[in-house]
Amino acid sequence: MSVLVVGSFIVDCVATCKRAPEAGETVVGDSYNTYLGGKGANQAFAAIRMGSKTTMVGCVGNDGFGKQFFETLEAEGFDTSVVKVSPNNSTGVSLVTVEHSGQNRICMTPGANLDYLPEDLDKLEDLIKESDIIVTQLEMRYDVAAHLAKLAKKHGKKFILNPAPAAPLDDETLDGIYCITPNETELGIIINRKIETMEEYIEGAKVLLEKGCQNVIVTLGTIGSLLVNKNGHILIPAFKVKAIDTVGAGDSFTGSLSAMLDQGRKLKDAMQIATAVAALEVQRNGAIPAMPYKEEVYSFLKEKGIELN
Ligand code: ADP
């Protein structure tokens, strides 16, 4: 039983300030922090902390941030031998300013993430064969996600696609996806339709079912998550908690969902557990440091009186 995450490594460099600078202006900020993240790394940490053997594949730069990723992955128990180091590009970075109002501005440079190539995946066919669940997002080159979908299909593996950031998806990639997890905005972009009501989310998800996705889970922030498949639809409500930082909520959901499916949970139960993971994650700062461990998640579910089969 194991999860393979192919995805991005990005460091968020976050400065807070009263007011973000205008063009040509410098303002004095009041705090600065760096957070290791990227959708791929966030999802891999969510999965490993839920107790699945997890492998994270992607590319960092030959620099300090790249080294920090190696150390953090190793400390968590990841095998880093499959992480590529780009000789050309620096580790992916997001420069973020957060105003006291909470308003943020982000400039993301993918850097080394774009040096991970479809042919790199061909070298990993044995790893793909050994994995049960294969997960990716769209923060790398699109042809990497498309090629991974093909390899997952070839080896009969459950493929989970978190289509973020949103991009149009080709029919061949969509056909055969076990589970796709867009939020409502991403779903609207993928199907190129304005969707604003629950009815429209369900209809939108059905477009992806017609393209061959087996399960569509639309995440709806504080509302919860909506599963649409051939049996109908069901909404798993979010827990009411005091959120302090929702960065990584979707990643904690997809990562832990993958781990729970890997551990043999039914999709609805896996969603319920992932909903608890996300509820814990949003109550803490950061993304990777905020990912909860399995024991904590099960205690939270017990506290809430939720029985799982
Ligand atoms: P994304 O970060 O990709 O936009 P969402 O915001 O939809 O993803 O969040 C994913 C899941 O996390 C939701 O389906 C919900 O279960 C949970 N979640 C998100 N925000 C909150 C919140 N403020 N309180 C509790 N749960 C939340």
Side-chain angles (χ1 to χ4, degrees):
M1 286 200 310
S2 59
V3 175
L4 170 62
V5 181
V6 176
S8 52
F9 292 103
I10 293 172
V11 182
D12 292 334
C13 302
V14 185
T16 59
C17 47
K18 188 156 182 266
R19 170 181 76 70
E22 302 288 339
E25 188 193 16
T26 300
V27 298
V28 177
D30 42 38
S31 74
Y32 170 76
N33 260 305
T34 55
Y35 301 98
L36 300 193
K39 292 179 191 303
N42 291 344
Q43 292 178 17
F45 274 80
I48 203 168
R49 289 191 180 171
M50 287 307 285
S52 276
K53 181 174 180 292
T54 306
T55 306
M56 166 79 200
V57 167
C59 187
V60 297
N62 185 12
D63 51 24
F65 283 151
K67 217 189 249 170
Q68 243 176 290
F69 267 118
F70 269 87
E71 286 164 8
T72 311
L73 287 165
E74 276 157 17
E76 195 74 30
F78 284 96
D79 165 13
T80 51
S81 64
V82 284
V83 176
K84 185 176 168 182
V85 179
S86 164
N88 313 310
N89 263 313
S90 47
T91 302
V93 164
S94 276
L95 296 181
V96 184
T97 55
V98 183
E99 293 183 347
H100 290 176
S101 65
Q103 191 69 251
N104 61 32
R105 288 175 176 73
I106 303 175
C107 174
M108 195 271 270
T109 52
N113 289 295
L114 299 183
D115 291 340
Y116 200 84
L117 306 172
E119 47 266 40
D120 290 319
L121 290 173
D122 292 328
K123 296 177 209 143
L124 297 180
E125 266 201 79
D126 283 345
L127 181 60
I128 291 171
K129 273 189 226 160
E130 283 163 21
S131 306
D132 295 290
I133 306 281
I134 296 175
V135 191
T136 198
Q137 322 75 30
L138 301 175
E139 242 171 12
M140 303 164 90
R141 292 164 49 128
Y142 181 76
D143 54 3
V144 171
H147 192 50
L148 186 65
K150 264 190 215 138
L151 291 171
K153 214 183 287 178
K154 176 177 164 193
H155 295 291
K157 303 295 175 176
K158 283 187 174 151
F159 180 56
I160 300 184
L161 177 65
N162 174 228
L169 301 170
D170 69 277
D171 286 357
E172 198 187 340
T173 299
L174 284 168
D175 186 26
I177 288 181
Y178 176 70
C179 182
I180 185 165
T181 60
N183 64 20
E184 71 271 43
T185 316
E186 288 149 4
L187 178 61
I189 294 171
I190 294 167
I191 62 167
N192 195 20
R193 214 188 261 181
K194 202 166 165 224
I195 48 171
E196 284 172 341
T197 63
M198 197 57 84
E199 272 309 301
E200 288 168 351
Y201 301 148
I202 295 167
E203 285 313 307
K206 284 184 182 165
V207 175
L208 297 183
L209 294 183
E210 278 157 25
K211 300 248 179 211
C213 295
Q214 295 172 42
N215 299 285
V216 181
I217 298 177
V218 190
T219 64
L220 301 166
T222 51
I223 297 174
S225 54
L226 171 73
L227 168 65
V228 185
N229 61 20
K230 66 176 188 325
N231 302 322
H233 64 267
I234 181 168
L235 179 79
I236 308 282
F239 291 101
K240 285 193 177 38
V241 294
K242 197 163 179 292
I244 61 160
D245 178 359
T246 58
V247 172
D251 295 335
S252 71
F253 185 93
T254 296
S256 57
L257 181 89
S258 309
M260 290 299 102
L261 291 171
D262 171 53
Q263 290 168 44
R265 291 277 185 193
K266 297 248 163 59
L267 191 51
K268 198 173 136 270
D269 281 347
M271 284 174 72
Q272 183 64 80
I273 298 167
T275 301
V277 169
L280 291 166
E281 197 272 347
V282 299
Q283 293 179 75
R284 302 173 191 153
N285 276 314
I288 288 178
M291 296 301 169
Y293 288 86
K294 195 171 181 178
E295 301 71 43
E296 208 182 341
V297 175
Y298 279 79
S299 318
F300 178 83
L301 283 162
K302 204 167 166 204
E303 236 172 68
K304 298 285 174 190
I306 291 173
E307 301 272 340
L308 298 162
N309 297 318

